[in-house]
Amino acid sequence: MQVKIESTGGFAGDQVMVAMYDTADLSEPEAKKIRHAVESLSVAEEAARPGEIGADLPAYRITVDGPDGEHRVFDVEGEHPPALDEPLTILLRGPQEPAAPPQGGRPPKPPSPSGL
C-alpha cells in the first residue's frame, strides 16, 4: 500500500507533500500502523459531518493506492471531527514510536539569541 499525504490550500493555494509511505518498505509493525490509520480514516470520514472550512485552516489530501489497485483519496479540510485526530497524527508523524524523553525531564533549552 502506498500512502501520500499533502498539505493543501492556504492563502496561496499551495500543495506540498508532507509524507509518503510504502508499506512494503516498512517493518510489519510500522506497516500495520499505517494500514490501521488509513482504515480508521476511512471509517471516520464516512461518519463525519463537514466542519468549518477556511483558507487559513489546515487541509490535507491523503492518497492511498492499495495492493489490489484500489485508489482512494481522502480530503481532510478545516475543522475535522476528533475521530480523525489519531489516524491523521500517525500519518503526519510516521509509524515510528516517538523517542523517549531524556531522563530527568525536559531537554535543556537552547541558548537565547540575545544572550539573556
Side-chain angles (χ1 to χ4, degrees):
M1 172 188 296
Q2 295 175 328
V3 182
K4 179 172 70 170
I5 301 100
E6 298 168 291
S7 175
T8 63
F11 290 114
D14 291 338
Q15 200 166 329
V16 177
M17 187 174 353
V18 177
M20 186 174 221
Y21 306 104
D22 187 337
T23 56
D25 297 336
L26 301 173
S27 70
E28 184 52 35
E30 291 172 339
K32 186 176 180 180
K33 275 187 174 181
I34 295 295
R35 287 191 299 267
H36 179 70
V38 168
E39 289 309 313
S40 297
L41 187 68
S42 179
V43 170
E45 187 181 63
E46 288 175 13
R49 290 182 293 159
E52 183 178 346
I53 298 174
D56 59 338
L57 296 174
Y60 300 98
R61 173 167 292 129
I62 300 157
T63 305
V64 179
D65 291 314
D68 56 357
E70 180 184 14
H71 181 80
R72 296 185 284 177
V73 177
F74 302 97
D75 286 310
V76 180
E77 299 175 328
E79 290 184 10
H80 56 271
L84 291 176
D85 286 343
E86 184 179 351
L88 190 57
T89 298
I90 289 170
L91 293 171
L92 290 172
R93 290 189 181 170
Q96 299 83 14
E97 291 297 322
Q103 289 194 358
R106 304 169 108 182
K109 291 184 180 179
S112 168
S114 67
L116 298 176

